[in-house]
C-alpha cells in the first residue's frame, strides 16, 4: 500500500467516526461541552493567578495563556488519535480484525478508535490560542518556528504515549497509569517547565515525559527566546524520539497475541 | 437498612474482591500513586514560582506555607472521598456483567460501593492517612473536638455525594457506550471546581461565593479549611447544608435516571 492509500484509509476512518459521533446529537453536544471546559479552566486559572499576583517570572499573561492552550490542544489531539482502551483491547486480543487490514499498523492504530469527543478540547483551546496570539503581535517567522516545533513535538509525545500503552499491555496489564501520566504531563505543561528546576525540570519534561518538547520549546520559539542552535537541537531531539519510538513500537507490536492465541 | 446489615457478610465479600483486584495490579497502583503525589508536588512548585515572583509574604492573606499544606493534603483527601465507582459500572455495562450482578439478591449499587471501597482502601491506608497525619504532626495543627466532629460529617457526606455522582456518571455509559474520556474530563472539571488547582479562597469574592454553594468544595477544600481552622463555623455549616441538599437532589435524579436506564438495558439484553 502506498502513502496515498494510507492517507485515504485514515481519512476514511475519520469520516465514519465523525458520522457515528454526530448520529448521537445530544451525546455529541455533551462531550463537546465537557471537553471545552479544559480551555475554560485554564483561562480562569491563569486569569485568577495574574489578578492576585505578578504571575510567573518572565511570562506575561498572554504568553502563559498561549503556553497553556498549546499543551491542552496537544492533550486533546492525543485523546483524539490514541485509543484510551488500547492496552485493554490488546490484552483481550480484540485488535485482530483491525490489524489484519492491509495497511501500516500505525495508521490502523491511530484510526482504530478515534476520540472525536476530544475535538471540543482542541477547538476551544485553539480559540484561546488565537485570542492570546492576537494580543502578542509576533513576527511571522516566530509563528512558523512554533508550528514546526509543535508538529514534531506532538508527534514525539504521541509516539511516547503509544509506547507507554504497549508497555502497560506487556508488563503492567492495566492502562490507567498511562492516562494519569497524560493528566500529570498536562498539569505540568500548563506552566513553563523551567519552574520545576532549570536542569532537572527541563530534563524530566523533555526526555522522560516529552511534553515540554511539544509545548514549552515551541512557545519559546514563538516568543523569540529560542536561539537558532537550540531550535535545530530541539528538531533533532524530536526526530530522534520519533525514530526511536517507531522502532520500539514495531518491536512491541510483535509481542501482541491475538485473541486466537 | 435492615437488609444492609443482614447482607453485610455478602457485601464484605465484594469489599474483599475489590481489595484483591487492586493488589493484583501492584505496579499500576504504585505508578498511579507516584503520579498523584507528583501532581501535588507540581502544584507546589507552580505556587512557589508565583509567590517568589510576586515578592510578597502573603497572597489574599495566605502564606506560601499554607499552600504547601493545602496542596499536599488535597490529593490524599480526594483519594478518600472519591471512590471511582463509574469505572466499575462502565466495565460492567461493557462486558455485560451488569445483567448477572443485577439478578443477584444483593443491591447492585451497594455491591459497587463495597467493591470500590475495597479497591480504594490500599491508597487510603498506605498513602492518604499517613500523609495527612505526617502533615498535621509537622505543622502542629490543633484540631478541637468540634472540628473533629465537623470533619467526620464532611468526610461521610463527601463520600456519599461523590459515590452517587459517580454512579450517575457510570450509568450514563448505557447511553454513551465509551466513558473513558468523558469520565477523565468530568474528573478534571470537579477537580478544578473543588479547588484542586487554585484554592477556592483565591478566587474573586463573587466566584468564590458561587463555588462555595456547589457541593464540589467537599472534594477537599472544606475538609482542609476545617482542619486548618481558616473558615468560620457558619461557613462550615453552610457547606454541610449545601452538600446534604445536593445529595438529596442527586439521589432523586440518579434514581429516576437509573430506572430509565435499566429499561434500556433490558431492551438491549432482550
Amino acid at each position: 500500500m502506498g502513502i496515498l492509500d494510507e492517507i485515504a484509509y485514515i481519512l476514511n476512518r475519520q469520516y465514519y467516526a465523525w458520522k457515528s459521533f454526530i448520529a448521537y446529537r445530544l451525546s455529541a453536544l455533551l462531550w463537546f461541552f465537557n471537553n471545552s471546559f479544559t480551555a475554560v479552566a485554564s483561562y480562569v486559572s491563569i486569569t485568577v493567578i495574574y489578578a492576585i499576583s505578578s504571575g510567573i517570572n518572565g511570562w506575561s499573561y498572554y504568553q502563559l495563556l498561549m503556553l497553556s492552550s498549546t499543551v491542552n490542544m496537544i492533550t486533546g489531539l492525543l485523546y483524539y488519535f490514541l485509543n484510551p482502551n488500547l492496552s485493554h483491547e490488546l490484552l483481550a486480543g480484540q485488535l485482530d480484525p483491525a490489524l489484519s487490514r492491509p495497511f501500516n499498523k500505525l495508521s490502523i492504530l491511530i484510526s482504530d478508535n478515534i476520540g472525536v469527543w476530544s475535538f471540543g478540547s482542541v477547538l476551544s483551546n485553539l480559540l484561546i490560542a488565537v485570542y492570546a496570539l492576537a494580543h502578542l503581535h509576533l513576527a511571522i517567522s516566530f509563528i512558523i518556528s512554533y508550528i514546526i516545533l509543535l508538529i514534531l513535538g506532538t508527534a514525539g509525545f504521541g509516539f511516547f504515549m503509544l509506547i507507554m500503552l504497549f508497555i502497560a499491555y506487556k508488563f503492567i496489564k492495566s492502562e490507567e497509569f498511562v492516562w494519569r501520566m497524560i493528566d500529570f504531563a498536562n498539569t505540568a505543561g500548563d506552566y513553563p517547565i523551567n519552574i520545576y528546576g532549570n536542569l532537572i525540570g527541563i530534563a524530566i519534561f523533555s526526555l522522560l515525559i516529552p511534553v515540554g518538547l511539544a509545548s514549552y520549546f515551541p512557545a519559546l520559539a514563538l516568543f523569540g527566546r529560542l536561539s537558532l542552535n537550540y531550535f535545530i537541537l530541539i528538531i533533532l531531539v524530536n526526530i530522534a524520539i520519533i525514530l526511536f519510538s517507531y522502532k520500539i513500537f514495531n518491536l512491541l507490536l510483535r509481542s501482541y497475541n491475538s485473541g486466537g492465541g | 437498612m435492615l437488609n444492609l446489615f443482614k447482607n453485610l457478610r455478602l457485601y464484605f465479600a465484594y469489599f474483599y474482591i475489590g481489595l484483591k483486584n487492586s493488589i493484583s495490579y501492584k505496579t499500576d497502583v504504585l505508578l498511579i500513586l507516584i503520579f498523584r503525589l507528583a501532581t501535588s508536588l507540581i502544584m507546589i512548585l507552580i505556587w512557589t514560582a508565583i509567590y517568589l515572583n510576586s515578592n510578597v509574604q502573603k497572597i489574599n492573606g495566605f502564606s506560601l506555607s499554607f499552600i504547601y499544606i493545602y496542596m499536599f493534603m488535597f490529593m490524599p483527601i480526594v483519594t478518600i472521598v472519591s471512590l471511582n465507582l463509574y469505572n466499575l459500572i462502565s466495565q460492567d455495562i461493557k462486558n455485560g456483567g451488569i445483567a448477572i450482578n443485577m439478578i443477584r439478591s444483593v443491591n447492585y449499587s451497594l455491591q459497587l460501593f463495597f467493591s470500590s471501597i475495597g479497591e480504594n482502601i490500599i491508597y487510603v491506608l498506605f498513602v492518604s492517612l499517613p500523609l495527612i497525619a505526617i502533615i498535621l504532626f509537622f505543622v502542629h495543627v490543633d484540631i478541637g473536638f468540634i472540628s473533629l466532629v465537623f470533619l467526620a460529617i464532611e468526610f461521610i457526606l463527601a463520600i456519599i455525594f461523590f459515590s452517587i455522582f459517580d454512579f450517575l456518571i457510570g450509568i450514563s455509559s448505557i447511553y454513551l457506550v465509551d466513558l473513558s474520556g468523558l469520565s477523565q474530563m468530568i474528573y478534571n472539571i470537579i477537580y478544578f471546581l473543588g479547588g484542586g488547582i487554585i484554592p477556592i479562597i483565591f478566587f474573586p469574592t463573587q466566584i468564590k461565593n458561587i463555588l462555595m454553594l456547589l457541593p464540589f468544595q467537599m472534594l477537599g477544600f472544606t475538609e482542609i479549611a476545617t482542619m486548618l481552622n481558616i473558615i468560620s463555623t457558619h461557613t462550615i455549616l453552610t457547606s454541610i447544608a449545601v452538600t446534604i441538599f445536593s445529595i438529596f437532589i442527586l439521589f432523586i435524579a440518579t434514581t429516576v435516571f437509573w430506572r430509565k436506564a435499566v429499561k434500556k438495558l433490558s431492551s438491549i439484553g432482550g
Side-chain angles (χ1 to χ4, degrees):
Chain A
M1 288 283 167
I3 186 95
L4 286 177
D5 293 314
E6 296 287 341
I7 294 169
Y9 170 75
I10 293 170
L11 290 177
N12 199 312
R13 299 285 300 176
Q14 308 280 323
Y15 173 73
Y16 285 107
W18 276 90
K19 266 196 101 169
S20 72
F21 179 70
I22 292 166
Y24 299 97
R25 285 183 201 90
L26 176 68
S27 173
L29 199 71
L30 275 172
W31 287 84
F32 252 88
F33 169 75
N34 186 44
N35 282 281
S36 304
F37 194 82
T38 55
V40 179
S42 290
Y43 176 78
V44 174
S45 301
I46 292 167
T47 307
V48 169
I49 287 171
Y50 275 81
I52 60 171
S53 71
S54 309
I56 306 280
N57 189 20
W59 289 74
S60 73
Y61 170 70
Y62 291 108
Q63 286 178 334
L64 201 62
L65 214 52
M66 189 66 208
L67 174 68
S68 170
S69 53
T70 300
V71 78
N72 286 331
M73 269 194 288
I74 293 161
T75 314
L77 279 172
L78 283 185
Y79 277 111
Y80 184 88
F81 284 110
L82 287 181
N83 175 5
N85 291 318
L86 184 63
S87 296
H88 183 77
E89 288 185 0
L90 287 166
L91 266 172
Q94 289 168 347
L95 281 177
D96 300 11
L99 288 176
S100 58
R101 289 178 194 135
F103 294 100
N104 182 294
K105 302 299 175 231
L106 184 64
S107 309
I108 291 169
L109 286 180
I110 61 167
S111 45
D112 177 50
N113 201 346
I114 296 155
V116 178
W117 46 268
S118 73
F119 203 73
S121 170
V122 179
L123 203 66
S124 53
N125 281 292
L126 185 66
L127 285 176
I128 300 270
V130 170
Y131 166 74
L133 266 180
H135 287 86
L136 285 167
H137 310 292
L138 298 161
I140 192 80
S141 58
F142 291 160
I143 297 176
I144 293 169
S145 323
Y146 165 78
I147 292 170
I148 292 169
L149 290 189
L150 182 71
I151 293 170
L152 284 172
T154 307
F157 190 39
F159 265 112
F160 169 78
M161 295 319 299
L162 186 63
I163 285 171
M164 283 294 128
L165 281 168
F166 267 91
I167 287 174
Y169 152 69
K170 182 100 177 102
F171 302 106
I172 301 167
K173 314 289 179 202
S174 172
E175 77 275 2
E176 182 156 356
F177 93 91
V178 181
W179 304 107
R180 294 274 176 201
M181 185 192 274
I182 289 197
D183 229 34
F184 168 71
N186 194 13
T187 308
D190 258 344
Y191 299 88
I193 54 171
N194 63 329
I195 64 173
Y196 313 123
N198 257 331
L199 196 68
I200 296 172
I202 291 176
I204 289 175
F205 293 108
S206 299
L207 302 172
L208 210 59
I209 305 173
V211 66
L213 292 176
S215 60
Y216 176 69
F217 287 106
L220 287 186
L222 182 68
F223 307 136
R225 292 193 210 157
L226 202 64
S227 67
L228 185 66
N229 285 346
Y230 271 105
F231 178 73
I232 294 167
L233 179 70
I234 300 299
I235 289 179
L236 292 176
V237 171
N238 270 320
I239 291 172
I241 287 178
I242 293 168
L243 293 176
F244 178 72
S245 304
Y246 189 65
K247 190 94 182 153
I248 299 283
F249 162 73
N250 280 317
L251 279 174
L252 287 170
L253 193 63
R254 282 185 212 156
S255 65
Y256 170 66
N257 290 318
S258 75
Chain B
M1 191 56 89
L2 263 175
N3 261 349
L4 171 66
F5 287 112
K6 217 170 86 184
N7 294 324
L8 211 56
R9 266 185 63 186
L10 275 172
Y11 291 123
F12 185 77
Y14 284 102
F15 167 86
Y16 187 65
I17 291 167
L19 177 68
K20 282 197 91 170
N21 267 342
S22 73
I23 291 171
S24 59
Y25 294 107
K26 287 184 206 83
T27 321
D28 201 39
V29 169
L30 186 72
L31 287 168
I32 290 169
L33 275 179
I34 290 170
F35 283 115
R36 280 183 177 180
L37 292 174
T39 306
S40 301
L41 193 66
I42 285 293
M43 292 314 299
I44 282 169
L45 291 171
I46 291 166
W47 280 101
T48 306
I50 292 167
Y51 269 79
L52 287 178
N53 187 42
S54 301
N55 211 12
V56 288
Q57 294 288 317
K58 287 183 174 181
I59 294 177
N60 272 18
F62 292 95
S63 63
L64 185 58
S65 47
F66 164 78
I67 293 288
Y68 286 171
I69 299 165
Y70 182 89
M71 289 301 171
F72 261 130
M73 273 192 167
F74 198 86
M75 195 52 93
I77 292 176
V78 172
T79 306
I80 295 172
V81 301
S82 172
L83 295 175
N84 295 337
L85 273 171
Y86 59 82
N87 263 341
L88 295 175
I89 306 172
S90 178
Q91 278 168 21
D92 254 7
I93 290 168
K94 262 188 187 169
N95 62 27
I98 190 166
I100 300 156
N101 288 331
M102 278 180 65
I103 54 169
R104 289 196 172 124
S105 58
V106 282
N107 185 302
Y108 178 63
S109 51
L110 287 174
Q111 284 176 40
L112 291 170
F113 182 71
F114 280 91
S115 187
S116 56
I117 287 182
E119 284 199 5
N120 211 36
I121 200 82
I122 295 278
Y123 296 108
V124 173
L125 289 180
F126 292 100
V127 181
S128 294
L129 292 180
L131 208 59
I132 292 170
I134 289 167
I135 295 164
L136 289 177
F137 176 77
F138 278 107
V139 295
H140 305 292
V141 175
D142 189 20
I143 306 173
F145 177 72
I146 302 288
S147 296
L148 271 178
V149 173
F150 279 144
L151 267 175
I153 296 169
E154 285 164 5
F155 271 109
I156 291 167
L157 288 177
I159 290 170
I160 295 171
F161 174 79
F162 287 108
S163 298
I164 301 175
F165 189 81
D166 274 3
F167 192 78
L168 184 65
I169 302 295
I171 53 178
S172 67
S173 65
I174 291 174
Y175 297 93
L176 299 172
V177 186
D178 188 8
L179 262 189
S180 41
L182 186 75
S183 54
Q184 192 62 42
M185 291 291 173
I186 289 176
Y187 173 79
N188 289 342
I189 293 173
I190 295 171
Y191 195 73
F192 174 75
L193 295 176
I197 296 169
I198 296 181
I200 293 176
I201 37 161
F202 283 163
F203 281 94
T205 316
Q206 282 161 330
I207 297 177
K208 185 173 76 182
N209 291 342
I210 294 170
L211 291 178
M212 287 305 285
L213 285 176
L214 296 176
F216 306 119
Q217 27 102 5
M218 280 286 178
L219 187 67
F221 174 77
T222 311
E223 290 90 332
I224 297 172
T226 308
M227 272 187 238
L228 302 180
N229 213 10
I230 57 163
I231 51 171
S232 65
T233 309
H234 177 259
T235 314
I236 294 173
L237 289 172
T238 312
S239 299
I240 289 173
V242 163
T243 313
I244 291 172
F245 180 71
S246 307
I247 288 171
F248 180 69
I249 299 291
L250 201 63
F251 182 76
I252 294 170
T254 308
T255 310
V256 172
F257 190 51
W258 173 238
R259 281 183 187 155
K260 282 194 170 182
V262 165
K263 277 181 196 160
K264 184 164 168 75
L265 202 66
S266 57
S267 71
I268 295 168

